[in-house]
Amino acid sequence: MNILVANLGSTSFKFRLFRFDGADHASLLAKGGYERVTDYGKAIDDCLGELQAAGHVRSAADLHGVGFKTVLGRDLTGCVPADEKVIAALDGFREIAPAHNPPYALGIQRFREKLPGVPLVALFETAFYQWVPEASSRYAVPQTWYDAGVRRYGFHGASHKFAAERSAELLGRADVVQRVQQLYQSGPTPLAAGAKALRVISCHLGGSSSVTGIRDGVAIGTSMGLSPQSGLPQNNRVGDLDSAAVPFVMKTLGLSLAEAERQMTKESGLLGLSGVGNDLRDVRAAAQQGNARAQLALDVFVQSTRHWIGAFLVELGGCDALVFTAGIGENNPDLRAAICANLSDLGLVLDAAKNNAVRGTEGEISAATSRVKVFVIPANEELVVARETVRCITAKY
Ligand code: AMP
């Protein structure tokens, strides 16, 4: 089965082609992409032309599905056929995800026109949070706001679901692995009576970051809320912020709503705090040279991550595994050490040598005495999208 994963930006189109032998055995056949895209139809033609020239896909008939990592849909989530309902759901929330929803809506439309008969699948980033208890997803806003869609949705679902599956595998919990794999087709299936609970806290720390609490493979809450402008400080986007801040700066600094929004989405996060840049490598290098604002940015990031880990430690009643994933989580032993500092009373102790040795690869970094296992699990979101696309096609088409 050949599955194309399409990653659509406002002016970019990136793709990866996977070949599946069985539901989970995939090999990456090709990857590529185009910048400054103005016509998705042409980009699709170019992509198919490239795959044809490389001998991977002779025609559209050799393509068995296309997967899209859609972000946020109004009244729609999960892993579903990318049809007109998906396009309408993306359009319905274009105000909340303006950088992501319009290109996906347009891109899916063009794929439908260009590749009729090829199954298209949308995996929403919110899909993993379908079973979060309502008490953890509601904001204390008037009913009319809730009816308009103001609630916690959560993001990075593909990544956190992969962390749930892989950590269960590393802990020898085949029952939970199976539960995670079937989640979008069957919902949370019952575990055997008396099965021990598996409590995982997953930290996706990258250009965009979030922490998710997971019980028996199913999310029970996450740090991100209505939009990806929430939770931890992001690269250049604000994380959690008191809602009073917006009217306050509009009145006192004379900012228009559009300018306040621009500053919260372009000039905040690690960039706003440090004044140096939005890439953690640059912030870290500046901090090492004595830049106090850069050091503060790192400290705020660590503090915020610990805050959310703490929230899920209580919510889960403990933790069996802590997972670090994505660019920052995979590559920064010093940040991982700072996040895990002084938690020995809670049963979490890092092995300093193992932690220093694991960069960009999978590994266990907890001490032998640590009750909580700590894993680094590299993110591979395109593969997750491809796998879920295969499962959706197999179940639905
Ligand atoms: P992501 O969004 O997962 O691609 O992560 C991007 C973030 O990860 C950026 O802030 C990078 O600074 C950080 N990052 C990526 N690779 C490395 C690396 N090798 N060492 C340190 N930080 C890294």
Side-chain angles (χ1 to χ4, degrees):
M1 220 176 190
N2 292 327
I3 302 294
L4 184 71
V5 175
N7 184 342
L8 302 166
S10 48
T11 58
S12 68
F13 169 51
K14 296 185 193 131
F15 66 86
R16 289 192 189 195
L17 179 70
F18 294 91
R19 178 160 296 159
F20 280 78
D21 307 302
D24 282 320
H25 298 105
S27 45
L28 179 66
L29 292 187
K31 64 178 195 177
Y34 315 102
E35 301 290 339
R36 298 195 191 133
V37 171
T38 49
D39 177 351
Y40 286 110
K42 181 175 179 311
I44 296 163
D45 287 343
D46 291 348
C47 164
L48 287 176
E50 265 189 54
L51 298 177
Q52 197 171 26
H56 298 308
V57 170
R58 279 163 299 162
S59 71
D62 286 339
L63 202 55
H64 305 105
V66 183
F68 302 88
K69 189 160 68 75
T70 45
V71 175
L72 175 67
R74 189 181 178 110
D75 300 327
L76 187 64
T77 187
C79 185
V80 294
D83 55 14
E84 60 287 339
K85 280 197 283 250
V86 166
I87 293 171
L90 292 171
D91 278 342
F93 269 165
R94 59 191 308 141
E95 286 295 332
I96 302 177
H100 296 102
N101 278 11
Y104 270 106
L106 192 63
I108 289 171
Q109 217 149 13
R110 298 299 279 141
F111 266 95
R112 291 176 72 205
E113 290 159 14
K114 286 274 170 192
L115 304 175
V118 176
L120 309 182
V121 173
L123 171 62
F124 281 96
E125 282 288 68
T126 51
F128 195 42
Y129 306 104
Q130 293 173 74
W131 301 279
V132 167
E134 195 175 6
S136 299
S137 65
R138 288 290 288 257
Y139 292 118
V141 292
Q143 185 67 30
T144 48
W145 290 35
Y146 175 72
D147 293 342
V150 178
R151 47 158 291 200
R152 270 185 192 284
Y153 293 100
F155 299 93
H156 298 139
S159 175
H160 289 299
K161 184 171 187 273
F162 183 67
E165 180 177 338
R166 185 66 189 138
S167 59
E169 213 161 40
L170 292 170
L171 292 167
R173 290 295 302 268
D175 55 339
V176 176
V177 172
Q178 200 181 20
R179 192 174 199 237
V180 179
Q181 288 177 346
Q182 295 171 350
L183 199 53
Y184 296 158
Q185 278 71 52
S186 316
T189 48
L191 290 180
K196 198 170 169 291
L198 182 61
R199 303 156 304 178
V200 174
I201 300 175
S202 170
C203 306
H204 176 109
L205 309 179
S208 175
S209 301
S210 64
V211 177
T212 292
I214 302 164
R215 180 183 285 119
D216 300 331
V218 180
I220 55 116
T222 188
S223 59
M224 273 195 180
L226 173 70
S227 79
Q229 260 70 259
S230 52
L232 276 58
Q234 314 295 341
N235 56 356
N236 60 355
R237 289 174 281 129
V238 71
D240 281 345
L241 178 73
D242 188 324
S243 58
V246 179
F248 176 74
V249 293
M250 287 174 69
K251 287 174 196 157
T252 58
L253 301 181
L255 303 185
S256 65
L257 180 57
E259 179 57 12
E261 279 183 313
R262 194 192 66 77
Q263 293 188 12
M264 287 190 295
T265 53
K266 300 272 191 292
E267 295 180 356
S268 297
L270 291 176
L271 171 65
L273 280 164
S274 70
V276 169
N278 65 13
D279 189 301
L280 190 100
R281 283 169 284 207
D282 301 332
V283 178
R284 203 163 146 259
Q288 281 166 349
Q289 283 164 11
N291 182 319
R293 275 183 65 188
Q295 184 58 52
L296 180 66
L298 298 180
D299 293 346
V300 171
F301 187 78
V302 167
Q303 161 63 23
S304 178
T305 308
R306 285 168 66 88
H307 170 93
W308 283 100
I309 290 173
F312 295 123
L313 260 175
V314 171
E315 199 66 29
L316 290 164
C319 177
D320 302 300
L322 181 72
V323 175
F324 286 103
T325 189
I328 296 174
E330 292 163 25
N331 294 294
N332 288 275
D334 47 352
L335 239 85
R336 294 194 297 247
I339 290 167
C340 294
N342 303 321
L343 297 181
S344 56
D345 277 4
L346 298 172
L348 193 159
V349 184
L350 282 195
D351 179 313
K354 284 187 191 165
N355 181 37
N356 281 329
V358 177
R359 292 165 202 249
T361 53
E362 184 175 283
E364 185 185 331
I365 57 171
S366 38
T369 53
S370 183
R371 200 171 64 240
V372 180
K373 301 277 183 211
V374 185
F375 298 120
V376 175
I377 297 178
N380 191 343
E381 291 175 273
E382 287 83 5
L383 178 61
V384 174
V385 176
R387 280 183 180 173
E388 296 294 346
T389 299
V390 170
R391 287 178 193 147
C392 178
I393 289 171
T394 312
K396 289 225 166 83
Y397 282 90

